[in-house]
């Protein structure tokens, strides 16, 4: 499966440990760039589905859009600020295969 720039995916936050503190919600990301050869992907946070708080939006945006070429970034409390499925195309595809990330409309 080839991931296309501009395609949107809905992701269930309950599967992401760093977001569990914000409850069970879904959010949408847009593929900006995907490259099979380098196994890289660039995603952009689009929106949270349903009611949300500023804290949720900041946490999701930071996690989705923080890229460090495979190096884990942590804040001063030790919380992870990036995740490999948001950086590695192969890992994002695994999320699609198991239903964590599901194709969706980019607009509500």
């Amino acid at each position: 499966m080839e991931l296309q720039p501009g395609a949107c995916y809905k992701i269930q936050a309950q599967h992401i440990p760093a977001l569990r503190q914000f409850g069970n919600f879904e959010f949408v990301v847009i593929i900006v760039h995907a490259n099979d050869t380098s196994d890289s992907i660039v995603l952009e946070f689009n929106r949270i589905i349903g009611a949300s708080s500023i804290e949720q939006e900041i946490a999701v945006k930071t996690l989705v859009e923080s890229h460090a070429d495979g190096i884990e970034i942590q804040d001063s409390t030790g919380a992870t600020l990036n995740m490999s499925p948001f950086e590695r195309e192969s890992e994002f595809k695994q999320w699609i295969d198991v239903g964590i990330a599901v194709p969706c409309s980019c607009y509500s």
Side-chain angles (χ1 to χ4, degrees):
M1 166 199 344
E2 187 174 324
L3 300 178
Q4 297 295 322
C8 287
Y9 287 84
K10 177 173 57 174
I11 298 172
Q12 301 171 8
Q14 68 185 8
H15 296 289
I16 302 171
L19 297 177
R20 285 189 190 136
Q21 65 181 331
F22 298 105
N24 188 13
F25 64 96
E26 296 175 318
F27 60 94
V28 177
V29 297
I30 301 173
I31 296 176
V32 175
H33 174 78
N35 187 323
D36 281 339
T37 306
S38 64
D39 191 24
S40 64
I41 190 167
V42 176
L43 300 164
E44 183 177 280
F45 170 65
N46 178 268
R47 71 182 186 282
I48 291 176
I49 297 173
S52 64
S53 68
I54 295 296
E55 291 81 8
Q56 276 178 306
E57 290 185 18
I58 291 169
V60 174
K61 185 173 180 70
T62 300
L63 200 59
V64 169
E65 297 181 5
S66 293
H67 300 278
D69 295 324
I71 298 169
E72 184 177 290
I73 302 172
Q74 296 180 343
D75 68 11
S76 60
T77 67
T80 301
L81 297 176
N82 65 327
M83 288 185 63
S84 55
F86 296 123
E87 294 186 25
R88 301 277 176 237
E89 182 182 34
S90 61
E91 292 188 41
F92 191 77
K93 284 181 177 179
Q94 288 175 358
W95 274 10
I96 295 168
D97 291 343
V98 298
I100 295 171
V102 179
C104 70
S105 169
C106 293
Y107 308 101
S108 49

